[in-house]
Amino acid sequence: RDEYVEKLKVKLDEWNADLDKLEAKTEHAKEDLKEIYHEEIDALRQQRDNIKDRLKELAGSSESAWEELKVGADEAWKKLSEAIDRARSKF
């Protein structure tokens, strides 16, 4: 369980770095695209923040709640990962 939470923390740090790189790329985009890119990045950051909250719940959960929370966290991670991949392809 602790290993799983630690793995997610590492992945979260990687995604934070990815979001920072995407943010830097928007500075070189055409003006009309900058706002769109910033909105997408803001949405990704909101998803990331939701995952941070789930991670805190996981770390403090009881054994009986662990599996249920883990399933929800896995789904949230998958969605964020897919969203970041889509954003990378656009930028």
Side-chain angles (χ1 to χ4, degrees):
R1 180 171 139 165
D2 291 338
E3 187 177 306
Y4 178 82
V5 170
E6 192 58 39
K7 178 182 135 185
L8 294 182
K9 285 180 183 179
V10 169
K11 190 65 177 168
L12 190 60
D13 289 341
E14 291 173 9
W15 284 334
N16 283 330
D18 287 344
L19 289 173
D20 290 343
K21 288 176 189 175
L22 291 174
E23 184 77 44
K25 285 183 179 182
T26 63
E27 298 309 315
H28 303 291
K30 294 179 181 178
E31 283 302 315
D32 58 333
L33 295 177
K34 280 185 181 182
E35 185 175 335
I36 294 168
Y37 290 163
H38 283 292
E39 288 174 5
E40 287 188 40
I41 290 170
D42 288 344
L44 290 170
R45 289 188 194 277
Q46 277 187 319
Q47 282 183 284
R48 182 222 35 218
D49 291 344
N50 288 339
I51 288 175
K52 278 183 179 179
D53 292 341
R54 286 187 183 252
L55 189 57
K56 288 177 188 174
E57 286 178 41
L58 277 172
S61 68
S62 66
E63 285 298 320
S64 61
W66 165 253
E67 282 302 318
E68 185 176 326
L69 288 171
K70 183 180 177 291
V71 169
D74 286 343
E75 185 62 30
W77 285 101
K78 180 181 173 189
K79 287 180 182 179
L80 179 59
S81 182
E82 291 169 353
I84 288 175
D85 288 343
R86 281 192 307 274
R88 277 190 202 124
S89 68
K90 286 182 183 180
F91 290 62

